[in-house]
Amino acid sequence: MDMQLQQDLTGQVALVTGSGSGIGKDIAQTFARAGAAVGIADINKEAAQQTVNLIEAAGGKALAIEMDVTSESAVNKGVNELVKHFGSIDILVSNAGVQIIAPIDKMDFKDWQKMLAIHLDGAFLTTKAALKHMYDSPKVGTVIYMGSVHSHDASLYKAPYVTAKHGLLGLCRVLAKEGAEHNVRSHVICPGFVKTPLVEKQIPEQAKEKGITEEEVVNDIMLVNTVDKEFTKVSDIAQLALFLAAFPTNVFTGQSIVASHGWFMN
């Protein structure tokens, strides 16, 4: 009998970091519509609560969690708060991120450290905290890292971002091996340019750095290698995250899935 794909997360509890806005917010809302109870983790508690309000207004269940993903104590506290409130953590989406644009020779070391701390340390700390609960659970555990085409490729002026996104591939692959005996699987979603506030902020920055127009940044840099000159949609990434979280087998564990309008093809 052919396996039927499921889009149902009823009875699941998810934690989505950086979900006060952008991709994380859309993933959280998508998971809630699919029946999951969702922890909305963000360094901005007010933004997290706004996402919770939207989910609850639509009949879903959510909890606002103030979380600095670079702080081990804050991460542990937030995960424990989620488990105490909803009873478990079955899905982790490590999505918190920032962007700082500068050439390597002009990159401030503090900016380098900040980028790696948020993207890589944050992924490690939230994973470690979640696994303490997932490993003891009879249910399947799913960890999804928000990578990028830059997990596989590189662009000018993004050394710490590219380095961190490459690092997520390694963390995901190790977790796939270590987590297998505990029924925990891992994935990296690798979007192309998604038109979020983070990306919109980069357009004038790159235009200034390169001395070109913002339109040229979009067409000749950001979307130059896509097949259709289209930005990846937030909803595309949210639906992909739902597909992976709800998938009934471990066939995709350890894999990265690129969603980029053909920018990078594995």
Side-chain angles (χ1 to χ4, degrees), residues 88 90 133-141 182-183:
S88 68
D90 309 301
H133 302 279
M134 290 182 178
Y135 279 2
D136 292 332
S137 172
K139 294 192 288 185
V140 173
H182 304 282
N183 213 15

Side-chain angles (χ1 to χ4, degrees), residues 41-251:
D42 202 281
I43 197 167
N44 183 334
K45 182 69 176 288
E46 183 178 346
Q49 187 59 53
Q50 289 174 356
T51 302
V52 168
N53 294 343
L54 290 172
I55 289 172
E56 290 183 338
K61 295 182 290 185
L63 175 70
I65 301 170
E66 184 175 4
M67 183 184 291
D68 175 357
V69 297
T70 69
S71 165
E72 185 170 16
S73 60
V75 168
N76 290 341
K77 179 182 177 183
V79 170
N80 290 337
E81 183 181 347
L82 177 73
V83 172
K84 182 178 179 180
H85 192 81
F86 288 125
S88 68
I89 176 170
D90 309 301
I91 303 163
L92 166 66
V93 181
S94 176
N95 168 76
V98 296
Q99 181 62 279
I100 299 172
I101 304 292
I104 294 172
D105 62 315
K106 297 178 182 177
M107 174 71 64
D108 190 283
F109 184 45
K110 289 183 179 179
D111 287 338
W112 169 276
Q113 290 176 308
K114 177 181 179 179
M115 290 284 290
L116 266 65
I118 293 172
H119 290 269
L120 268 184
D121 294 352
F124 167 74
L125 290 173
T126 52
T127 300
K128 182 180 179 182
L131 292 184
K132 291 177 182 178
H133 302 279
M134 290 182 178
Y135 279 2
D136 292 332
S137 172
K139 294 192 288 185
V140 173
T142 304
V143 178
I144 299 173
Y145 300 107
M146 193 54 59
S148 166
V149 166
H150 290 107
S151 296
H152 297 277
D153 204 351
S155 292
L156 297 168
Y157 313 131
K158 296 185 177 181
Y161 185 82
V162 172
T163 300
K165 294 303 186 182
H166 272 66
L168 291 177
L169 295 179
L171 179 59
C172 172
R173 290 164 180 166
V174 172
L175 177 56
K177 292 180 179 291
E178 292 186 5
E181 65 178 294
H182 304 282
N183 213 15
V184 172
R185 68 239 188 134
S186 60
H187 316 286
V188 184
I189 294 177
C190 299
F193 279 104
V194 182
K195 204 162 189 183
T196 63
L198 186 66
V199 167
E200 290 177 344
K201 177 176 176 289
Q202 294 177 46
I203 296 173
E205 290 177 344
Q206 289 209 33
K208 181 179 179 180
E209 180 69 38
K210 297 175 184 294
I212 59 178
T213 67
E214 293 186 12
E215 184 178 6
E216 287 172 320
V217 170
V218 171
N219 292 327
D220 300 338
I221 297 175
M222 289 184 169
L223 303 181
V224 65
N225 292 320
T226 64
V227 299
D228 52 12
K229 300 291 185 182
E230 293 285 340
F231 280 100
T232 302
K233 295 178 181 177
V234 172
S235 59
D236 294 332
I237 304 308
Q239 288 298 318
L240 178 54
L242 175 59
F243 170 80
L244 292 171
F247 203 80
T249 78
N250 295 334
V251 67

